[in-house]
């Protein structure tokens, strides 16, 4: 049994012990086995999940507004150096000790393995949609999703569940069939095809860019209507190319977004329960991790690997 501790033992009255069932490095689902005396809203036996966030100051303006992800003192679940000098190891363990304020409930109707990536991929694409009033909007919008990978495929599912017209924008012609037949996208634009990009100019109200490879935002901005918004959640190593004219002549906006706070994360999980949204995954055993990394480098996964930590459990 492996534990990682975020605070000294005498401070664990608000902590939860979770038996991990499925995980990636920072997307964890499991069953609660023990709760501290000051834990609220959780009990032994609950289906629980932990995402990217392990702790925050809980005193700044962002923490008080349940935007803990923007706290200057945020501590991450994986590969972080905690305030006491300890290192966080994420989901690579059998047990997890977590502050209950950074734990969410997993709806009973969604599978624990396919729910795990929602704790990063799901919340990352959910928040910009919420920020742009796409969740409960009475008007059907035309939205674009750039990239059809771990984040993009969940974004398509959210967009369709919320009743919008969804266009997938990709450099890969092979993704068109997946986008339309597997995920239900309404349209597909091959971004390397000048005619398709020209035909798509000024047709979209909102675009979510999930791509982490270097690319120019100029051609993507041209797809937006006047006053449209491009929200970026992908993080390329090299700076974006951002030409000024598509911004100026279209009165367009470019925004960024990073995961989400805990209130939003629970809201996202509840929405997934309501619409039965999960991630498309491939479950692997711990001894297959190196093989999975090799396949990931070749883009040979649809769309997320999840590690079966508990060995065959399907809670």
């Amino acid at each position: 049994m492996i534990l990682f501790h975020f605070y000294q033992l005498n401070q664990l009255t608000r902590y939860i012990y979770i038996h991990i069932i499925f995980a990636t490095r920072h997307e964890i689902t499991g069953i609660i086995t023990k709760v501290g005396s000051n834990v609220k809203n959780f009990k032994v036996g609950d289906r629980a999940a932990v995402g990217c966030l392990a702790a925050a100051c809980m005193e700044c303006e962002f923490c008080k507004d349940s935007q803990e992800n923007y706290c200057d003192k945020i501590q991450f679940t994986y590969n972080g150096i905690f305030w006491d000098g300890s290192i966080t190891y994420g989901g690579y363990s059998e047990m997890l000790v977590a502050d209950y304020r950074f734990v969410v409930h997993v709806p009973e109707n969604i599978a624990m393995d396919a729910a795990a990536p929602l704790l990063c991929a799901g919340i990352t694409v959910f928040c910009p949609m919420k920020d742009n009033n796409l969740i409960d909007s009475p008007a059907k919008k035309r939205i674009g999703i750039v990239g059809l990978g771990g984040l993009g495929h969940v974004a398509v599912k959210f967009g369709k569940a919320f009743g919008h017209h969804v266009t997938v924008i990709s450099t890969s012609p092979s993704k068109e069939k997946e986008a339309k037949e597997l995920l239900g996208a309404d349209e597909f634009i091959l971004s390397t095809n000048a005619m398709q990009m020209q035909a798509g100019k000024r047709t979209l109200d909102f675009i979510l860019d999930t791509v982490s490879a270097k690319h120019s935002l100029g051609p993507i901005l041209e797809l937006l209507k006047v006053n449209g918004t491009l929200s970026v959640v992908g993080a390329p190593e090299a700076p974006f190319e951002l030409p000024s004219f598509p911004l100026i002549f279209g009165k367009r906006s470019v925004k960024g977004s990073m995961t989400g706070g805990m209130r939003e994360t629970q809201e996202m999980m509840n929405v997934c329960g309501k619409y039965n949204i999960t991630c498309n995954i491939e479950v692997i055993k711990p001894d297959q991790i190196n093989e999975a990394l090799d396949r990931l480098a070749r883009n040979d996964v649809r769309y997320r690997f999840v590690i079966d930590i508990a060995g065959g459990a399907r809670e």
Side-chain angles (χ1 to χ4, degrees), residues 22-36:
F22 296 102
T24 68
R25 60 185 179 182
H26 56 210
E27 302 163 326
I28 302 162
T29 57
I31 302 297
I32 295 176
T33 60
K34 183 179 179 180
V35 297

Side-chain angles (χ1 to χ4, degrees), residues 37 73 128 156 164 176 253 257:
S37 58
K73 298 181 180 179
V156 173
H164 301 299
E176 181 171 5
S253 301
S257 184

Side-chain angles (χ1 to χ4, degrees), residues 27 117-127 150 154 158 268 279 304:
E27 302 163 326
L118 294 173
L119 275 300
C120 180
I123 188 61
T124 296
V125 300
F126 177 84
C127 283
V154 185
F158 277 135
M268 181 272 303
C279 298
R304 286 277 195 170

Side-chain angles (χ1 to χ4, degrees), residues 41-257:
N41 301 319
F42 291 95
K43 65 182 184 303
V44 172
D46 281 353
R47 290 154 48 98
V50 175
C52 303
L53 312 183
C57 77
M58 307 309 289
E59 297 176 351
C60 69
E61 61 176 307
F62 302 107
C63 286
K64 290 179 179 178
D65 191 37
S66 195
Q67 297 187 75
E68 300 91 346
N69 50 315
Y70 295 112
C71 174
D72 282 340
K73 298 181 180 179
I74 192 68
Q75 300 291 332
F76 294 107
T77 305
Y78 173 76
N79 203 29
I81 300 176
F82 231 71
W83 298 316
D84 63 359
S86 61
I87 298 174
T88 57
Y89 295 102
Y92 302 135
S93 59
E94 296 174 355
M95 295 291 294
L96 170 71
V97 182
D99 186 327
Y100 80 93
R101 296 172 295 183
F102 294 87
V103 180
V104 296
H105 292 278
V106 179
E108 292 291 336
N109 64 310
I110 60 178
M112 295 281 267
D113 50 1
L118 294 173
L119 275 300
C120 180
I123 188 61
T124 296
V125 300
F126 177 84
C127 283
M129 288 187 170
K130 180 181 178 180
D131 289 345
N132 287 272
N133 302 312
L134 295 174
I135 297 177
D136 298 315
S137 172
K140 185 175 183 179
K141 300 291 186 178
R142 298 180 66 91
I143 68 174
I145 309 298
V146 184
L148 194 65
L151 276 66
H153 89 284
V154 185
V156 173
K157 292 185 179 186
F158 277 135
K160 293 303 298 178
F162 301 151
H164 301 299
H165 184 283
V166 178
T167 298
V168 170
I169 303 150
S170 175
T171 60
S172 302
S174 62
K175 295 289 182 74
E176 181 171 5
K177 184 176 181 179
E178 296 176 31
K180 292 181 176 179
E181 297 182 11
L182 180 64
L183 299 170
D186 299 285
E187 295 187 44
F188 181 90
I189 295 177
L190 183 64
S191 58
T192 56
N193 185 306
M195 292 182 62
Q196 291 186 26
M197 292 293 285
Q198 178 64 30
K201 289 184 69 172
R202 292 197 174 192
T203 61
L204 303 176
D205 299 289
F206 171 81
I207 297 177
L208 182 65
D209 188 343
T210 71
V211 174
S212 292
K214 182 181 179 181
H215 60 291
S216 174
L217 299 183
I220 297 171
L221 285 168
E222 296 283 10
L223 300 175
L224 285 170
K225 298 177 182 178
V226 173
N227 283 316
T229 298
L230 169 62
S231 185
V232 175
V233 294
E237 292 184 4
F240 283 117
E241 295 177 14
L242 181 57
S244 59
F245 284 144
L247 287 174
I248 296 170
F249 283 89
K251 199 179 180 181
R252 301 175 178 108
S253 301
V254 178
K255 299 173 62 177
S257 184

